[in-house]
Amino acid sequence: MAGSHHDKCVFPELKTDVARLTLRALTAEQADEYYALIDRNREHLTQHGDYQALAASDHQTAHAELLNDPNPSLRCGILLDSALIGRVDLVAVNPPKYGFGYWLDHEATGHGYATAACRALIEYGATVLGATDVFAGVTHGNDKSGAVLIRLGFRAAEVFEAYTRYHRSLVASPCAYPTQR
Protein backbone atom coordinates (compact mmCIF):
# COMPACT_ATOMS: atom_id res chain seq x y z
CA MET A 1 0.00 0.00 0.00
CA ALA A 2 1.60 3.27 -1.13
CA GLY A 3 2.54 5.60 1.66
CA SER A 4 1.64 3.30 4.55
CA HIS A 5 5.17 3.55 5.96
CA HIS A 6 4.50 7.30 6.42
CA ASP A 7 2.64 6.45 9.65
CA LYS A 8 5.93 5.50 11.29
CA CYS A 9 8.26 8.14 9.91
CA VAL A 10 8.80 11.74 10.89
CA PHE A 11 8.44 14.36 8.19
CA PRO A 12 11.93 15.67 7.41
CA GLU A 13 12.92 19.26 6.85
CA LEU A 14 12.66 19.67 3.09
CA LYS A 15 14.94 21.94 1.15
CA THR A 16 13.56 23.87 -1.81
CA ASP A 17 15.26 25.20 -4.91
CA VAL A 18 15.36 28.65 -3.27
CA ALA A 19 18.29 29.21 -0.91
CA ARG A 20 17.26 29.65 2.74
CA LEU A 21 13.68 28.42 2.06
CA THR A 22 12.66 25.14 3.73
CA LEU A 23 9.55 23.22 4.76
CA ARG A 24 9.08 21.71 8.19
CA ALA A 25 6.13 20.04 9.89
CA LEU A 26 3.96 22.73 11.50
CA THR A 27 3.30 21.66 15.09
CA ALA A 28 1.92 23.05 18.34
CA GLU A 29 5.43 24.20 19.31
CA GLN A 30 5.08 26.92 16.65
CA ALA A 31 1.62 28.05 17.83
CA ASP A 32 2.73 31.55 18.86
CA GLU A 33 4.61 32.17 15.61
CA TYR A 34 1.76 30.65 13.56
CA TYR A 35 -0.85 32.80 15.30
CA ALA A 36 1.28 35.94 14.74
CA LEU A 37 1.48 35.01 11.03
CA ILE A 38 -2.32 34.64 10.83
CA ASP A 39 -2.89 37.82 12.84
CA ARG A 40 -0.80 40.04 10.56
CA ASN A 41 -2.35 38.50 7.43
CA ARG A 42 -6.09 38.60 8.20
CA GLU A 43 -6.87 41.05 5.39
CA HIS A 44 -4.51 39.29 2.96
CA LEU A 45 -6.05 35.87 3.70
CA THR A 46 -9.63 37.01 3.05
CA GLN A 47 -9.14 39.41 0.11
CA HIS A 48 -10.67 36.91 -2.34
CA GLY A 49 -13.28 35.51 0.04
CA ASP A 50 -11.25 32.44 1.03
CA TYR A 51 -9.59 31.54 4.35
CA GLN A 52 -12.41 33.20 6.32
CA ALA A 53 -12.30 30.66 9.17
CA LEU A 54 -8.51 30.82 9.41
CA ALA A 55 -8.52 34.62 9.47
CA ALA A 56 -11.14 34.54 12.24
CA SER A 57 -8.91 32.31 14.41
CA ASP A 58 -7.91 33.44 17.85
CA HIS A 59 -4.73 32.16 19.51
CA GLN A 60 -6.54 29.27 21.20
CA THR A 61 -8.14 28.12 17.93
CA ALA A 62 -4.85 28.32 16.02
CA HIS A 63 -3.05 26.40 18.79
CA ALA A 64 -5.79 23.75 18.94
CA GLU A 65 -5.53 23.20 15.17
CA LEU A 66 -1.80 22.52 15.50
CA LEU A 67 -2.41 20.04 18.35
CA ASN A 68 -4.38 17.80 15.97
CA ASP A 69 -2.13 15.29 14.22
CA PRO A 70 -2.82 15.69 10.49
CA ASN A 71 -1.48 12.17 9.69
CA PRO A 72 -1.65 10.87 7.02
CA SER A 73 -1.89 14.41 5.65
CA LEU A 74 1.08 16.78 5.86
CA ARG A 75 0.87 20.26 7.39
CA CYS A 76 4.06 22.21 6.71
CA GLY A 77 5.39 25.57 7.69
CA ILE A 78 7.23 27.47 4.97
CA LEU A 79 10.36 28.93 6.54
CA LEU A 80 12.70 31.60 5.22
CA ASP A 81 15.88 31.82 7.30
CA SER A 82 13.96 29.78 9.94
CA ALA A 83 11.16 32.38 10.17
CA LEU A 84 7.63 31.13 9.45
CA ILE A 85 6.33 32.90 6.31
CA GLY A 86 3.50 30.58 5.25
CA ARG A 87 1.94 27.17 5.14
CA VAL A 88 1.52 24.39 2.59
CA ASP A 89 -0.56 21.25 3.12
CA LEU A 90 -0.80 17.96 1.30
CA VAL A 91 -4.17 16.51 2.29
CA ALA A 92 -4.74 12.76 2.11
CA VAL A 93 -8.26 12.96 0.67
CA ASN A 94 -8.21 9.55 -0.99
CA PRO A 95 -4.57 8.37 -1.29
CA PRO A 96 -2.90 8.17 -3.72
CA LYS A 97 -5.03 11.25 -4.60
CA TYR A 98 -4.23 14.32 -2.51
CA GLY A 99 -5.61 17.79 -2.00
CA PHE A 100 -3.25 20.72 -1.81
CA GLY A 101 -3.38 24.15 -0.21
CA TYR A 102 -0.96 26.96 0.53
CA TRP A 103 -0.71 30.56 1.61
CA LEU A 104 2.06 33.06 2.27
CA ASP A 105 2.58 36.12 4.43
CA HIS A 106 1.64 39.13 2.30
CA GLU A 107 5.22 40.42 2.72
CA ALA A 108 6.61 37.18 1.22
CA THR A 109 4.61 37.13 -2.01
CA GLY A 110 6.16 37.80 -5.40
CA HIS A 111 9.52 36.13 -4.70
CA GLY A 112 8.84 32.59 -5.96
CA TYR A 113 8.57 31.18 -2.43
CA ALA A 114 5.11 29.63 -2.90
CA THR A 115 6.16 27.96 -6.16
CA ALA A 116 9.37 26.57 -4.62
CA ALA A 117 7.64 25.37 -1.43
CA CYS A 118 4.79 23.74 -3.34
CA ARG A 119 7.20 22.06 -5.78
CA ALA A 120 9.19 20.54 -2.91
CA LEU A 121 6.09 19.17 -1.16
CA ILE A 122 4.60 17.79 -4.38
CA GLU A 123 7.89 16.01 -5.17
CA TYR A 124 7.91 14.56 -1.63
CA GLY A 125 4.30 13.44 -2.08
CA ALA A 126 5.08 11.74 -5.37
CA THR A 127 8.35 10.06 -4.38
CA VAL A 128 7.75 9.22 -0.71
CA LEU A 129 3.96 8.92 -0.36
CA GLY A 130 3.25 7.52 -3.83
CA ALA A 131 0.83 10.33 -4.69
CA THR A 132 -0.54 9.98 -8.22
CA ASP A 133 -2.79 13.05 -8.39
CA VAL A 134 -2.94 16.41 -6.64
CA PHE A 135 -5.96 18.71 -6.64
CA ALA A 136 -6.21 22.33 -5.48
CA GLY A 137 -9.01 24.87 -5.43
CA VAL A 138 -8.44 28.55 -6.14
CA THR A 139 -11.07 31.17 -5.36
CA HIS A 140 -12.07 33.26 -8.38
CA GLY A 141 -10.03 36.46 -8.44
CA ASN A 142 -6.97 34.90 -6.81
CA ASP A 143 -5.01 34.97 -10.06
CA LYS A 144 -1.59 34.85 -8.37
CA SER A 145 -2.43 31.58 -6.64
CA GLY A 146 -3.69 30.12 -9.92
CA ALA A 147 -0.45 31.23 -11.61
CA VAL A 148 1.57 29.29 -9.00
CA LEU A 149 -0.36 26.13 -9.88
CA ILE A 150 0.06 26.66 -13.65
CA ARG A 151 3.84 27.08 -13.12
CA LEU A 152 3.81 23.77 -11.25
CA GLY A 153 2.12 21.93 -14.13
CA PHE A 154 -1.48 21.99 -12.88
CA ARG A 155 -4.37 22.50 -15.28
CA ALA A 156 -7.84 23.88 -14.59
CA ALA A 157 -10.05 20.80 -14.30
CA GLU A 158 -13.43 22.16 -13.27
CA VAL A 159 -14.93 25.61 -12.71
CA PHE A 160 -17.44 26.08 -9.89
CA GLU A 161 -19.41 29.13 -8.80
CA ALA A 162 -16.80 30.38 -6.31
CA TYR A 163 -13.58 28.63 -7.33
CA THR A 164 -11.68 26.67 -9.95
CA ARG A 165 -10.41 23.18 -9.21
CA TYR A 166 -6.93 22.47 -10.55
CA HIS A 167 -5.41 19.03 -11.11
CA ARG A 168 -1.94 17.69 -11.70
CA SER A 169 -1.26 14.07 -12.51
CA LEU A 170 1.98 12.84 -10.95
CA VAL A 171 2.06 9.52 -12.79
CA ALA A 172 5.09 9.44 -15.06
CA SER A 173 4.33 8.56 -18.63
CA PRO A 174 5.69 5.17 -19.74
CA CYS A 175 9.24 5.18 -21.11
CA ALA A 176 9.57 5.47 -24.85
CA TYR A 177 12.36 2.90 -24.71
CA PRO A 178 11.91 -0.33 -22.76
CA THR A 179 14.51 -1.01 -20.09
CA GLN A 180 17.11 -3.65 -21.07
CA ARG A 181 17.47 -6.55 -18.65
Side-chain angles (χ1 to χ4, degrees), residues 61-84:
T61 304
H63 184 254
E65 178 190 4
L66 298 184
L67 285 172
N68 292 328
D69 182 359
N71 189 45
S73 298
L74 299 174
R75 177 181 59 222
C76 303
I78 303 170
L79 297 107
L80 182 65
D81 293 324
S82 300
L84 186 64

Side-chain angles (χ1 to χ4, degrees), residues 9 13 21 27 30-31 40 43 62 81 94 96 99 117 119 121 131 166 174:
C9 64
E13 180 170 285
L21 188 75
T27 64
Q30 290 113 346
R40 71 177 176 264
E43 188 176 316
D81 293 324
N94 186 15
R119 181 178 293 119
L121 191 57
Y166 288 80

Side-chain angles (χ1 to χ4, degrees), residues 44-52 102 136-147 149 156-166:
H44 174 66
L45 286 166
T46 58
Q47 67 183 321
H48 301 291
D50 43 3
Y51 289 110
Q52 298 288 335
Y102 53 93
V138 176
T139 304
H140 297 315
N142 191 352
D143 298 335
K144 289 181 179 180
S145 194
L149 294 173
E158 202 167 350
V159 178
F160 297 96
E161 187 176 332
Y163 71 98
T164 299
R165 178 180 296 143
Y166 288 80

Side-chain angles (χ1 to χ4, degrees), residues 32-62:
D32 291 343
E33 191 178 7
Y34 180 58
Y35 177 72
L37 181 67
I38 294 168
D39 195 41
R40 71 177 176 264
N41 281 282
R42 291 182 197 281
E43 188 176 316
H44 174 66
L45 286 166
T46 58
Q47 67 183 321
H48 301 291
D50 43 3
Y51 289 110
Q52 298 288 335
L54 179 62
S57 296
D58 58 18
H59 189 278
Q60 184 177 356
T61 304

Side-chain angles (χ1 to χ4, degrees), residues 60-135:
Q60 184 177 356
T61 304
H63 184 254
E65 178 190 4
L66 298 184
L67 285 172
N68 292 328
D69 182 359
N71 189 45
S73 298
L74 299 174
R75 177 181 59 222
C76 303
I78 303 170
L79 297 107
L80 182 65
D81 293 324
S82 300
L84 186 64
I85 63 163
R87 175 175 168 173
V88 59
D89 293 13
L90 196 56
V91 182
V93 177
N94 186 15
K97 295 180 173 140
Y98 286 79
F100 193 68
Y102 53 93
W103 64 272
L104 280 181
D105 184 312
H106 69 282
E107 297 285 329
T109 61
H111 302 285
Y113 301 149
T115 303
C118 291
R119 181 178 293 119
L121 191 57
I122 289 167
E123 285 177 13
Y124 181 88
T127 58
V128 177
L129 304 181
T132 60
D133 295 270
V134 181
F135 295 88

